Amino acid sequence: MTAFVIIGGGLAGAKAAEALRDQGYDGELVLIGEEEHRPYERPPLSKDYLAGKSSRDDVFVHPPQWYGEHNVDLRLGGAAEAIDRSARVVRLAGGGTAGYDKLLLATGSSPRRLPIPGGHRALYLRRLEDSEAIKASFGPGRRLLVVGAGWIGLEVAAAARQAGAEVTVVEVAELPLLRVLGREIATVFADLHRANGVDLRFGTQLREITPDGGILADGTALAADAVVVGVGITPNTSLAADAGLDVDNGVLVNASLRSSDPDIFAAGDVANAMHPFLGRHIRVEHWANALNQPAVAAAAMLGRDAAYDELPYFYTDQFDLGMEYLGHVEPDGYDRVVIRGDAAAREFIAFWLRDGRILAGMNVNVWDVTEPIKALIRSGATIDADRLADPATPLDSLT
Ligand SMILES: Cc1cc2nc3c(=O)[nH]c(=O)nc-3n(C[C@H](O)[C@H](O)[C@H](O)COP(=O)(O)OP(=O)(O)OC[C@H]3O[C@@H](n4cnc5c(N)ncnc54)[C@H](O)[C@@H]3O)c2cc1C
């Protein structure tokens, strides 16, 4: 019988198992997950689950019985330690093995650690237990120090504030999310957090974590009961690299998500995939990518023609701001931002343009616009910026 193996029990791994069965694969299917839990979704860990608004049961991708019903051999609580490509075998912690005809790497990513004195005291946020540990540090009168004003840091800051904690955010850049959003829109997030009582310290770094909080580069001591660090992630590529696959900021795969070994594929946070529309490799660290890439990987594993061409998409919820972002812009890769709506009221769509063409769009507290935004980006058309900025002009009339 044919054997397919998936390494990584996160969203991408679970969706790959689902897609293989949906697409008619009826051979042996092994899903190897290092964590003790069956696959779960991470976005709630910094939002509703962290805020105590949803329960543990809500985070899982499939109910427990799903795996048996779909004949998926779920092997949890032990990592895959090595891939022997000549023998086509995955070696597991504890001595087990899993032979494969096709293999999918869905090993995700891990938080970057802060290499400073006292760094062992920091809390990080990737797993269910991390979210629970951070939640336990919340509460009226508690003081939280957040290092890093990226998506994770800002979402944790919002959840902590809403739980009544005093929150300070330390960020080396001058604004939150500066590299992702650019100056024009990064200010929206700074204003949002200030308006909700978050103490923002930009242009500085944490030098040390102490039992009482943290010390900034200039010697300022910040008192805190807990320190949460969210300074980015690195893809879990060591298995692939040790097996001799091409790795560069993730496992390098083509548009069919096939690696430099024709029998090994990668999807989700760990995949640095050739993107047909963008015309280059891109590694996307977001939920929609882990949700949608696996169907393409599954088709390719089954020998079918498939290419992953979805535009990068992500979302966040912080305080009363909900937003979706579509497209991709390199830092400094745009020459104009067009705002359609009222940025001060946090109800608008922002567009990033280069040479009159839309590269990305972000809708903030404005809904049901992702399809027209997608169409505008994909059209590659030169857009009249004045009409784009005018909410009275329908988006679908602009191309
Ligand atoms: C707190 C948090 C909030 C987020 N919020 C958002 C959001 O609002 N919007 C958004 O778009 N994205 C969000 N994301 C990002 C999104 O969750 C990720 O892009 C997604 O989880 C990636 O899924 P994945 O399956 O590729 O990897 P992961 O979720 O990292 O799963 C990989 C799994 O593989 C396991 N593994 C690794 N190595 C091995 C091995 N050798 N053997 C066996 N198992 C292994 C890991 O332990 C892990 O369980 C958030 C992420 C976090 C952490």
Side-chain angles (χ1 to χ4, degrees):
M1 193 193 266
T2 315
F4 283 10
V5 173
I6 301 167
I7 304 179
L11 179 60
K15 283 287 158 186
E18 183 184 315
L20 282 165
R21 290 302 187 219
D22 282 354
Q23 293 179 33
Y25 173 67
D26 60 2
E28 198 180 311
L29 183 51
V30 180
L31 175 50
I32 301 164
E34 181 180 28
E35 295 185 64
E36 299 288 342
H37 311 286
R38 70 183 188 275
Y40 59 90
E41 307 221 17
R42 299 186 199 273
L45 307 190
S46 55
K47 304 181 188 65
D48 282 3
Y49 187 62
L50 184 61
K53 292 184 197 155
S54 65
S55 76
R56 240 192 189 209
D57 288 347
D58 297 333
V59 304
F60 295 101
V61 184
H62 297 113
Q65 66 277 14
W66 184 91
Y67 296 90
E69 286 166 4
H70 291 81
N71 206 9
V72 176
D73 178 359
L74 186 59
R75 302 196 194 169
L76 296 176
E81 286 191 332
I83 302 164
D84 181 339
R85 291 204 283 141
S86 51
R88 290 166 174 265
V89 161
V90 177
R91 301 197 189 286
L92 309 183
T97 58
Y100 67 85
D101 294 292
K102 303 282 181 210
L103 175 65
L104 177 71
L105 297 172
T107 48
S109 49
S110 302
R112 219 174 267 146
R113 304 275 151 174
L114 208 57
I116 58 171
H120 62 280
R121 297 192 172 92
L123 299 172
Y124 292 87
L125 179 50
R126 187 75 199 172
R127 297 184 170 189
L128 258 175
E129 295 78 3
D130 300 334
S131 179
E132 287 161 2
I134 293 170
K135 186 167 20 182
S137 75
F138 290 178
R142 304 299 299 275
R143 295 154 308 173
L144 190 74
L145 180 56
V146 176
V147 183
W151 299 116
I152 296 288
L154 294 181
E155 289 182 2
V156 169
R161 270 309 284 149
Q162 286 169 313
E166 298 298 319
V167 181
T168 304
V169 176
V170 175
E171 163 62 51
V172 67
E174 292 162 61
L175 284 168
L177 300 162
L178 191 57
R179 277 177 60 80
V180 197
L181 300 179
R183 184 169 303 277
E184 301 82 351
I185 302 302
T187 53
V188 171
F189 285 86
D191 293 346
L192 171 75
H193 280 259
R194 276 201 195 96
N196 284 282
V198 178
D199 179 4
L200 298 173
R201 309 283 181 108
F202 294 132
T204 187
Q205 297 190 48
L206 203 66
R207 184 174 83 190
E208 184 178 347
I209 301 176
T210 65
D212 307 318
I215 301 175
L216 297 180
D218 67 1
T220 307
L222 298 172
D225 300 301
V227 178
V228 178
V229 174
V231 292
I233 56 176
T234 46
N236 294 326
T237 53
S238 58
L239 260 187
D242 291 349
L245 299 179
D246 288 351
V247 168
D248 179 11
N249 178 34
V251 179
L252 279 177
V253 290
N254 66 13
S256 303
L257 309 181
R258 189 184 301 262
S259 76
S260 52
D261 179 325
D263 294 323
I264 303 183
F265 300 75
D269 276 18
V270 78
N272 188 0
M274 183 64 199
H275 194 285
F277 180 76
L278 299 172
R280 64 178 195 78
H281 280 84
I282 182 169
R283 192 174 65 77
V284 178
E285 302 170 345
H286 294 301
W287 170 87
N289 186 67
L291 183 79
N292 297 321
Q293 271 190 342
V296 170
M301 290 168 84
L302 292 167
R304 298 174 189 146
D305 274 346
Y308 187 75
D309 195 32
E310 293 284 329
L311 292 175
Y313 165 94
F314 66 89
Y315 64 93
T316 187
D317 295 309
Q318 298 168 31
F319 299 110
D320 60 354
L321 181 151
M323 77 85 170
E324 298 172 287
Y325 181 105
L326 252 172
H328 177 73
V329 190
E330 290 292 317
D332 300 324
Y334 63 96
D335 54 28
R336 182 165 188 180
V337 175
V338 172
I339 294 175
R340 177 186 169 98
D342 188 345
R346 295 191 268 276
E347 202 172 312
F348 64 99
I349 310 175
F351 294 95
W352 287 261
L353 287 80
R354 188 182 185 96
D355 300 329
R357 295 181 174 82
I358 298 174
L359 304 173
M362 177 175 106
N363 47 301
V364 174
N365 291 338
V366 172
W367 303 109
D368 300 325
V369 289
T370 51
E371 288 310 316
I373 293 174
K374 209 181 276 181
L376 283 169
I377 298 170
R378 284 202 179 273
S379 76
T382 306
I383 305 293
D384 179 329
D386 292 337
R387 295 184 68 222
L388 181 63
D390 178 6
T393 307
L395 288 175
D396 54 13
S397 71
L398 287 162
T399 48

